[in-house]
């Protein structure tokens, strides 16, 4: 059997997390290794390993994740923030369950490393 990802374990209540928002489609948790004063991960309950695995069927879900990302930013009083989805090893993805980073609370640089 394939080992569950940490995010699936969190969704299933098998690992603790600091949940800042949740609904029937997703949850938002604080990143365990924050890269800014606010660093939240918006995670769909549906197991999609990476953005490249999303299909037409996921259109509404993907839109929902972005709206929740903005909601989380507003919840943290962020007018400016960055939203990141790492897709694949070379992009820096380390957890194989799609997630949206919401990062803010400091000035950021571009391009990313
Ligand atoms: P990725 O590199 O895949 O885009 O992002 C994975 C993120 O998940 C990283 O920022 C990492 O710090 C975070 N992370 C990894 N394991 C855990 C965990 O057990 N709990 C939480 N809250 N975040 C985690």
């Amino acid at each position: 059997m394939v080992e569950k990802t940490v995010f699936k374990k969190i969704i299933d209540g098998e690992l603790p997390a600091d949940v800042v928002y949740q609904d029937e489609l997703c949850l938002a948790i604080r990143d365990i290794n924050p890269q800014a004063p606010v660093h939240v991960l918006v995670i769909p309950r549906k197991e999609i390993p990476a953005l490249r695995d999303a299909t037409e069927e996921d259109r509404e879900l993907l839109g929902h994740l972005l709206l929740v990302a903005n909601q989380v930013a507003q919840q943290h009083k962020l007018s400016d923030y960055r939203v990141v989805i790492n897709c694949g090893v070379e992009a820096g993805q380390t957890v194989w369950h799609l997630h949206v980073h919401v990062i803010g609370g400091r000035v950021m640089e571009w391009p990313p490393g």
Side-chain angles (χ1 to χ4, degrees):
M1 214 179 79
V2 181
E3 170 81 7
K4 282 186 187 182
T5 66
V6 285
F7 295 164
K8 179 61 175 159
K9 287 181 185 170
I10 288 168
I11 289 164
D12 290 346
E14 295 165 10
L15 269 183
D18 187 354
V19 178
V20 299
Y21 172 86
Q22 60 180 314
D23 62 27
E24 71 285 3
L25 293 178
C26 69
L27 70 168
I29 64 171
R30 289 195 199 285
D31 197 294
I32 205 167
N33 182 24
Q35 301 301 311
V38 177
H39 189 167
V40 171
L41 305 169
V42 182
I43 306 171
R45 293 185 188 276
K46 178 176 176 181
E47 286 183 280
I48 301 170
L51 185 59
R52 62 189 173 210
D53 301 306
T55 67
E56 189 59 36
E57 182 184 288
D58 302 311
R59 178 177 292 271
E60 259 188 58
L61 175 61
L62 295 176
H64 183 71
L65 297 178
L66 287 184
L67 289 175
V68 169
N70 179 57
Q71 194 173 316
V72 165
Q74 300 316 312
Q75 193 180 324
H76 290 83
K77 311 266 184 262
L78 297 176
S79 61
D80 298 0
Y81 58 90
R82 184 171 289 176
V83 169
V84 172
I85 298 175
N86 295 321
C87 179
V89 172
E90 290 190 8
Q93 185 174 2
T94 57
V95 178
W96 301 96
H97 183 127
L98 176 65
H99 51 283
V100 178
H101 296 256
V102 181
I103 305 165
R106 66 166 169 83
V107 175
M108 271 168 267
E109 292 173 6
W110 192 263

